[in-house]
Amino acid sequence: MRVTDTSDLWWKTAVFYNLDVETYLDWNDDGVGDLEGLAHRLDHLAELGVTCLWLAPFYPSPQRDNGYDISDYFGVDPRYGHLGDFVEVVRTAKDRGMRVIVDLVVNHTSDQHPWFRAARSDRDSRYRDFYTWRDEVPADQPANMFPDVEDGVWSFDDEAGQYFRHSFYSHQPDLATDRQEVRDEIAKVIGFWLQLGIDGFRVDAVPHLIDTDDGAEHGFLQALRGYVARRSGSGMMLGEVNLPYDEMVAFFGEDDGDELTMQFDFVANQALYLSLARQDARPLAAALSTRPTLARGNQWGNFVRNHDELTLDQLSDDERDEVFEAFAPLESQRIHGRGIVRRLPPMLDGDPRRIRMVYSLMFSTPGAPVLFYGEEIGMGENPSVSGRGAVRTPMQWTDEAGGGFSRAEADDLVAPLAVEGWAPEHVNVSRQRHEPDSMLRFVQSLVRHYRASPEIGWGELTLLDSGHDCVLAHAVVSSTGTLVAVHNFAPDGRSVDLDLSGLLGPDAGEAGAVGEAAGAAAGHAAGAAAPRLVDLLAERSVPEALAGDAHHRIELEGYGFRWLRVLRAGEKRLV
Ligand code: GLC
């Protein structure tokens, strides 16, 4: 990897930040966040070090699924502003060094979309075939994604006189994406937003999107990616594919990674929570050890939480129960029999050591980090909001009434704020900006170190033996350099003895290239200057020579963590 590759394949080392315009900042004080408000907060995001915004759906919508029920693909919901405001946001974000990606939700439309309205009211409409209809419910009905809300994936529409298919809510009819006319329309949606200056899409519900009666149609995904690439040199697609690793591989594109550019790593995410519940790093280590190797242009999106439930559907029933018991003891904190509707800090009882350990892990795991708004200040959820809405409370900017999100009356806010210990009075950006030891400053420092460590985005993962079940020790090795990280899942300290000799030989990953590039002998051979280690997160850290046997001892506190950069002799890296 050349340093200049990091600009071409920008997503490999991007810091993503997902927000919903509706809950970010309300500039006109009508209770609903808006694009103008977001424009005013781009400096906060730039200061945090974010390099790519992912905007949740902001399109016209009846809002029965938080905007994932779209009634017009080419517009902006008037409550947030208009297309001109959107363009201003994109342009200003670019000026601040940030790209923008938007949600592409084309597995389904809202039942209020003009296509569905025309389809249901007239069998002869050209839009009838944009959806899938049956006279009878087919015998082999797949499960609905919201099994506690919907009986199945077929619902009868009185007006249409037939059953229509919906993988999600019955107000979200599935588009017949196997039809060319539908694909042509989807292409226009993609072309439209790219033309407005965005750099890609978070693609919703991908396995459903390409699902046909004959199985998954990867040719369609390939065609979409090809189209994105033709319309935009830098365009990418970050897909939502919550499947086991061996099934995810196909969604990157079996041959040369020519389908989804990135996928969220749901497998490691779920294993992370099992590890947290057990205070044992092994479930996460086991997951990471089976992570498929990706083609050069592909990437994992690492995340701690997102706008949905924390889904635990890939764990076994017993494992899921363990996580439920540890982090969602109340039935009201669970949803769909598979997930948790909480944010991380309340799940960890607000313990800053443990919360920080988790984010340190996310930023040091090979891949690109994806933050959910509010994570940078340790926001909690509002348990009185039912379902997934609990984690979608307004961003907390100040300790004022309305949390600095809006001056509208509490009853007029688009969503209630977090309460009690998690209320804006206690958790807000404004205060944390001025506290050197705040979560905000901490996350900002992680972002800074991540951005200065392109090996995390480009390198190969090596799991190291930490000697303790509760300590995950891993290294990322690339031609840029080598980073070693250790994370303690237990509340008590551990003494960790790391054997780094495997990382120093010329054959370890691309590591040899570093020595060559620096004109120095690779490895730790007799006579060569010893490699040095730098503790990156420590405040005042001096590079320390690595012992001749390449062993390094670390005294790790409870929930402690370290990032160590390995500096080879002659290396020119700035530390
Ligand atoms: C995705 C979204 C979720 C939405 C669903 C249906 O899973 O993340 O919020 O409800 O798709 O669009």
Side-chain angles (χ1 to χ4, degrees):
M1 164 218 164
R2 286 182 294 266
V3 71
T4 44
D5 291 335
T6 56
S7 59
D8 273 349
L9 280 67
W10 61 267
W11 54 85
K12 297 221 23 144
T13 46
V15 177
F16 292 89
Y17 184 101
N18 169 226
L19 67 91
D20 190 339
V21 172
E22 179 176 87
T23 47
Y24 210 58
L25 180 65
D26 171 17
W27 197 250
N28 62 4
D29 289 325
D30 64 353
V32 183
D34 39 50
L35 287 162
E36 196 171 355
L38 170 57
H40 280 90
R41 285 297 183 262
L42 292 172
D43 287 320
H44 162 74
L45 295 165
E47 200 179 317
L48 182 58
V50 168
T51 63
C52 182
L53 302 184
W54 151 26
L55 300 184
F58 49 81
Y59 317 103
S61 157
Q63 297 291 336
R64 296 180 67 192
D65 182 17
N66 198 36
Y68 282 89
D69 48 328
I70 297 171
S71 54
D72 175 5
Y73 286 113
F74 301 103
V76 168
D77 189 310
R79 298 178 313 153
Y80 312 146
H82 49 58
L83 276 174
D85 298 317
F86 175 82
V87 169
E88 293 300 303
V89 163
V90 174
R91 183 181 156 79
T92 310
K94 286 221 162 131
D95 175 71
R96 306 299 198 269
M98 292 180 288
R99 299 171 190 268
V100 177
I101 64 171
V102 301
D103 244 286
L104 181 69
V105 189
V106 288
N107 170 68
H108 47 264
T109 65
S110 157
D111 61 1
Q112 297 309 306
H113 194 288
W115 297 341
F116 191 72
R117 294 169 87 140
R120 72 178 356 166
S121 66
D122 178 3
R123 267 185 198 239
D124 298 325
S125 158
R126 75 171 280 250
Y127 296 108
R128 184 80 169 191
D129 291 341
F130 272 43
Y131 300 89
T132 307
W133 304 93
R134 294 281 183 276
D135 290 326
E136 309 281 339
V137 174
D140 56 339
Q141 189 174 176
N144 187 283
M145 288 305 292
F146 303 131
D148 47 346
V149 187
E150 300 288 349
D151 287 338
V153 301
W154 295 95
S155 286
F156 192 75
D157 188 66
D158 287 335
E159 204 181 333
Q162 276 188 306
Y163 291 89
F164 66 94
R165 203 192 138 111
H166 56 92
S167 308
F168 294 88
Y169 291 116
S170 58
H171 57 76
Q172 292 167 318
D174 285 349
L175 280 167
T177 52
D178 51 342
R179 299 192 67 89
Q180 193 54 47
E181 304 89 307
V182 173
R183 293 184 179 185
D184 290 346
E185 290 301 324
I186 291 175
K188 285 184 211 162
V189 175
I190 291 174
F192 179 80
W193 294 103
L194 287 175
Q195 200 74 25
L196 291 189
I198 61 147
D199 280 298
F201 300 89
R202 178 269 188 187
V203 191
D204 190 55
V206 182
H208 300 278
L209 171 66
I210 66 166
D211 185 34
T212 69
D213 287 343
D214 305 321
E217 214 207 300
H218 285 276
F220 174 37
L221 207 48
Q222 219 168 17
L224 287 182
R225 173 78 182 284
Y227 180 76
V228 167
R230 288 195 300 280
R231 291 288 174 110
S232 155
S234 57
M236 58 82 79
M237 299 199 302
L238 163 57
E240 182 198 27
V241 182
N242 176 19
L243 290 174
Y245 283 140
D246 55 345
E247 292 176 49
M248 289 172 94
V249 172
F251 289 82
F252 281 116
E254 297 272 12
D255 302 329
D256 44 5
D258 58 354
E259 295 185 28
L260 291 173
T261 323
M262 286 183 66
Q263 294 182 53
F264 296 103
D265 190 343
F266 281 96
V267 178
N269 178 265
Q270 300 187 31
L272 163 70
Y273 284 90
L274 185 59
S275 274
L276 288 169
R278 290 185 179 167
Q279 309 203 331
D280 182 340
R282 287 175 299 174
L284 179 59
L288 290 175
S289 69
T290 61
R291 223 185 193 196
T293 304
L294 304 181
R296 189 168 184 272
N298 294 136
Q299 185 58 298
W300 298 105
N302 296 320
F303 66 105
V304 171
R305 283 294 287 118
N306 64 20
H307 63 291
D308 287 328
E309 76 276 13
L310 161 62
T311 183
L312 303 167
D313 59 348
Q314 296 201 44
L315 301 182
S316 72
D317 291 351
D318 287 348
E319 292 169 341
R320 187 178 319 111
D321 284 345
E322 276 180 71
V323 180
F324 274 159
E325 214 162 289
F327 300 133
L330 305 176
E331 195 50 47
S332 58
Q333 296 165 333
R334 306 175 188 177
I335 195 169
H336 306 321
R338 63 166 184 250
I340 298 178
V341 284
R342 306 187 74 189
R343 282 181 178 250
L344 181 82
M347 285 194 269
L348 301 185
D349 299 322
D351 185 337
R353 299 170 306 161
R354 215 174 171 195
I355 297 165
R356 290 174 190 211
M357 187 276 285
V358 172
Y359 285 97
S360 161
L361 191 54
M362 170 175 84
F363 276 92
S364 59
T365 303
V370 187
L371 285 164
F372 178 45
Y373 77 95
E375 288 190 298
E376 73 271 36
I377 52 168
M379 259 170 65
E381 71 276 356
N382 182 332
S384 63
V385 183
S386 70
R388 296 176 293 172
V391 303
R392 299 170 179 171
T393 58
M395 183 65 183
Q396 300 172 188
W397 297 105
T398 70
D399 60 4
E400 298 156 282
F405 161 68
S406 173
R407 292 215 180 91
E409 295 295 322
D411 285 351
D412 293 332
L413 296 186
V414 65
L417 290 151
V419 288
E420 295 172 3
W422 303 101
E425 194 188 335
H426 307 288
V427 181
N428 66 70
V429 173
S430 192
R431 164 147 3 129
Q432 294 192 19
R433 280 167 68 87
H434 301 286
E435 288 175 353
D437 194 34
S438 65
M439 181 71 181
L440 179 62
R441 292 284 167 230
F442 173 71
V443 175
Q444 198 172 32
S445 84
L446 289 178
V447 173
R448 191 161 59 82
H449 290 298
Y450 174 84
R451 290 182 60 178
S453 308
E455 59 265 48
I456 303 173
W458 283 82
E460 299 266 326
L461 174 71
T462 305
L463 292 168
L464 305 172
D465 182 7
S466 75
H468 303 280
D469 293 344
C470 61
V471 177
L472 183 81
H474 72 275
V476 245
V477 181
S478 87
S479 56
T480 313
T482 296
L483 184 90
V484 174
V486 284
H487 290 86
N488 183 4
F489 282 75
D492 40 348
R494 289 289 189 283
S495 193
V496 178
D497 182 21
L498 292 177
D499 175 2
L500 303 179
S501 56
L503 302 174
L504 303 172
D507 297 323
E510 293 179 276
V514 175
E516 283 151 30
H524 188 187
R532 292 171 303 154
L533 294 179
V534 192
D535 186 338
L536 288 187
L537 304 180
E539 232 158 69
R540 266 180 289 275
S541 164
V542 197
E544 224 183 288
L546 182 59
D549 62 359
H551 278 252
H552 184 70
R553 180 175 284 278
I554 299 168
E555 299 304 330
L556 217 50
E557 318 78 47
Y559 302 129
F561 47 88
R562 295 277 194 291
W563 292 25
L564 301 171
R565 171 152 292 145
V566 182
L567 290 174
R568 287 160 174 274
E571 193 164 323
K572 289 185 175 158
R573 248 176 134 171
L574 199 56
V575 287

